[in-house]
Amino acid sequence: AGSNGFVFRSMRDAGGTITDFVPGKDRIDLSTLLASINATSLTAYGTGVVKLVASGANTLLQIDTDGNAGPALARTLVTLRNVAPGAIAPARDLGLN
C-alpha cells in the first residue's frame, strides 16, 4: 500500500519488470538517466527520447538516446506489467513535460 518511487540512473539499469506500477500513485524518476544522455525532462517525451510502447497487456518504457531524429534504436528500460500506455501521464508518472 502507498506510493512507490522507481529510480533509473542509467541504461545499465535496463531490463527489469515492475509488476505493481499504479499510474497516478507511483512514479518513475528518469532525471539522472536523462542527464547522462544530455536530455532533459522538458523535451525527452516530445522528441522521442522516452517512448511508451504497448506490448500485449504491458507497457515498455523505452529510451532512444538520440530521439526520433537519429539513427539509434530505442531500448527497453523497464516493462510495466498490466499497464496500458494510455494510462500513463508522462508529467504525472514520469516527471516529464
Side-chain angles (χ1 to χ4, degrees), residues 46-94:
T47 59
V49 171
V50 175
K51 299 177 184 221
L52 300 170
V53 178
S55 177
N58 305 321
T59 292
L60 307 178
L61 191 158
Q62 297 184 332
I63 303 296
D64 183 341
T65 57
D66 60 5
N68 293 329
L73 298 175
R75 185 170 158 214
T76 299
L77 177 65
V78 65
T79 299
L80 305 176
R81 188 174 293 162
N82 295 316
V83 176
I88 298 171
R92 176 192 69 203
D93 300 321
L94 306 176

